[in-house]
Amino acid sequence: MEKTPLLGMTLKELQDVCLQLSMPKFAAKQIVQWIYSKHVGSIDEMTNISKANRELLDEKFCVGCVPPIETNKSADGTVKYLFPTESNKFVETVYIPDGDRATLCVSCQVGCKMNCLFCQTGKQGWQGNLSTRDILNQIYMVDRIVAEEGGTPLTNVVYMGQGEPLDNIDNVLKSTEILTADYGWAWSPRRITISTIGLRTSMRRLLEESECHVAVSLHTPIHEQRMQLMPAEKQFAISDIVEMLKEYDWSHQRRLTFEYTMFGGTNDSTLHAKELIKLLQGLDCRVNLIRWHKIPDVPLSEVSMEAMERFRDYLNRRGITTTIRASRGQDIWAACGLLSTRKQLENQNV
C-alpha cells in the first residue's frame, strides 16, 4: 500500500491523522515539530512518540521528503537540483548563495500554461500543478543538503521557478501558510516573494490571504507588445493589474516589485521607460531589470549592460527605484527564464 506523505500537512490535518489512528491529539504537535523544525527523514526518528504509535503511523504514512535525483553546480556557486514529483514528473529548483544570504528559487508547476515567448519553461507546455508537498519538499531537502554540506542556510524563498504560482494558488498559499506558521518553519512572510504575471482573481487572494512580497512580471508597459511577448496580456492586461494593486497599501514592510526582463532593441528604449513611469505613477513599488539569456528559436536579442544601466538610471532619476538583478547560474541553465525539465522530455522520448 502506498503511504501518504505527512510533509505538506497543516497542524489541523495532522490532528485529524492522530484522531484517525486513535493517537493522542498532542502527538500532532510532536509530529509537526519533527517535520517542520527538525526536518527528519523518517517516522522512526520521532523518538518522543511511543514506539507503538510510531509503528501505527508508519503503516499508512511517511514523512514524504524525497531527495533530488540530479545536482548541477555553477562556477558562480549557484546550484540547480532536479526533483521528482508525486505525479512522477520532474521540476528544477535553484539555490543561490550570496555572502551570508541564500535564496531558493522554487517551482510550483511542471511546465507552464502562460507560454511567454522568452521563457524556456513555457516551451515544454503545462503538465500539472505541484502538490503542497512537492513545493515544500524542494525547501525541505535543500535545507537538509545545505546543512550537511556546511553551506549558507536559506534566508529567502522566491516562487520564481517553473510555472505560474497563481495558477496553482491553493497549493502555493498552503505552502506559504506552513512556511510562516508558528507550528511550521515560523518564517516571516517578508522572507518569501511570490512572482506572477497577474491572474486577477488569484491575485486578490494572494493580496488578502498572504503577507508575502509580490513580484509582477511586466516586461513591457505597451499593451500590444506585451500581448506578443506574453499571451496572457490579452486576458490579464497589465494596466488592469496595476489599477488593482493601487487599491492596496504598499507603504509598510510588504514589498511590490515589477520584474522587467530586457531584450535588445525591443523594450529598452526611452519610450518604454517613459511609458513605464506613466503606468506605475502613484504606486509605491520598485522595478527589477533582468538580463535575458538567449534560448533556441526565439527571435529576441540579448541586451547590453550599457543599455540596462541607461534604462535603470533614467527611471531612478525620475523617482522609480530601479535595480539590475545579478544573473546567476547561466552556465548550468539556471538563470531567469532558462528552467525546463529536459529529464521529463527525455522520458517522453524513451
Side-chain angles (χ1 to χ4, degrees):
M1 182 182 70
E2 191 171 337
K3 296 181 181 181
T4 301
L6 298 172
L7 177 62
M9 290 189 185
T10 63
L11 177 59
K12 173 63 170 63
E13 289 170 329
L14 288 167
Q15 288 170 342
D16 291 342
V17 166
C18 290
L19 183 65
Q20 172 191 332
L21 298 176
S22 300
M23 292 171 58
K25 187 176 180 179
F26 68 79
K29 287 192 175 180
Q30 295 173 316
I31 294 168
V32 89
Q33 287 173 350
W34 284 109
I35 295 174
Y36 297 131
S37 296
K38 300 180 181 178
H39 296 180
V40 296
S42 69
I43 289 169
D44 197 50
E45 294 175 67
M46 302 178 184
T47 51
N48 64 347
I49 299 174
S50 71
K51 189 171 188 296
N53 280 335
R54 291 204 307 270
E55 289 175 351
L56 194 62
L57 194 59
D58 194 48
E59 285 178 10
K60 294 184 178 180
F61 297 90
C62 61
V63 170
C65 58
V66 180
I69 61 169
E70 270 183 24
T71 302
N72 288 291
K73 189 166 185 178
S74 167
D76 64 23
T78 301
V79 184
K80 184 170 71 172
Y81 301 95
L82 182 69
F83 282 100
T85 71
E86 286 190 55
S87 58
N88 297 316
K89 299 187 187 299
F90 303 90
V91 290
E92 294 181 330
T93 307
V94 182
Y95 168 75
I96 310 165
D98 184 16
D100 58 357
R101 292 169 54 89
T103 299
L104 191 68
C105 180
V106 300
S107 294
C108 59
Q109 294 182 313
V110 182
C112 186
K113 295 177 187 175
M114 301 305 119
N115 197 27
C116 297
L117 176 64
F118 50 85
C119 181
Q120 183 72 19
T121 302
K123 308 306 175 198
Q124 75 179 77
W126 181 78
Q127 296 171 42
N129 286 331
L130 297 195
S131 66
T132 305
R133 185 207 68 88
D134 285 328
I135 295 170
L136 290 178
N137 183 62
Q138 299 168 67
I139 305 165
Y140 198 89
M141 288 307 308
V142 173
D143 254 342
R144 293 183 66 188
I145 291 167
V146 169
E148 289 168 4
E149 295 178 350
T152 305
L154 296 181
T155 57
N156 300 85
V157 168
V158 294
Y159 286 67
M160 296 182 181
Q162 291 171 260
E164 163 57 54
L166 299 198
D167 193 39
N168 187 14
I169 187 67
D170 290 333
N171 290 329
V172 165
L173 285 178
K174 187 177 176 185
S175 70
T176 60
E177 175 194 334
I178 293 170
L179 282 170
T180 58
D182 289 340
Y183 68 78
W185 265 264
W187 276 26
S188 163
R190 308 302 183 236
R191 297 172 65 179
I192 304 166
T193 301
I194 298 175
S195 177
T196 177
I197 64 162
L199 309 188
R200 254 192 309 271
T201 302
S202 296
M203 174 76 88
R204 285 210 182 271
R205 285 193 59 192
L206 172 64
L207 296 173
E208 292 168 7
E209 298 177 31
S210 162
E211 295 183 2
C212 298
H213 295 314
V214 177
V216 178
S217 298
L218 199 160
H219 310 309
T220 177
I222 299 171
H223 173 67
E224 293 76 14
Q225 186 178 50
R226 195 167 187 263
M227 279 199 297
Q228 294 174 352
L229 294 172
M230 306 168 69
E233 167 72 6
K234 186 173 183 179
Q235 187 176 359
F236 304 107
I238 191 62
S239 58
D240 293 341
I241 299 303
V242 168
E243 287 307 306
M244 178 197 299
L245 292 168
K246 287 179 180 178
E247 298 172 18
Y248 294 83
D249 183 5
W250 298 96
S251 61
H252 300 296
Q253 291 183 339
R254 189 179 199 180
R255 187 171 62 238
L256 173 62
T257 303
F258 287 92
E259 307 288 337
Y260 196 97
T261 301
M262 298 196 72
F263 316 102
T266 298
N267 65 346
D268 57 349
S269 70
T270 302
L271 170 64
H272 287 89
K274 288 179 177 178
E275 290 298 316
L276 191 55
I277 292 166
K278 191 186 304 181
L279 177 69
L280 302 182
Q281 190 172 17
L283 190 56
D284 188 357
C285 64
R286 64 182 63 191
V287 172
N288 200 359
L289 305 181
I290 301 167
R291 175 183 290 278
W292 182 69
H293 302 285
K294 189 73 178 172
I295 59 176
D297 304 318
V298 173
L300 292 168
S301 302
E302 294 185 353
V303 68
S304 68
M305 180 55 70
E306 181 185 13
M308 292 185 76
E309 290 172 348
R310 186 166 58 245
F311 199 87
R312 176 199 63 194
D313 295 344
Y314 187 94
L315 294 177
N316 276 325
R317 284 196 300 269
R318 287 155 182 82
I320 303 289
T321 301
T322 306
T323 56
I324 297 174
R325 179 189 293 171
S327 183
R328 300 285 300 273
Q330 184 182 357
D331 56 330
I332 56 168
W333 282 68
C336 289
L338 296 184
L339 295 187
S340 66
T341 311
R342 283 179 288 178
K343 188 72 177 178
Q344 182 67 32
L345 299 175
E346 289 167 11
N347 283 4
Q348 290 173 350
N349 293 331
V350 170

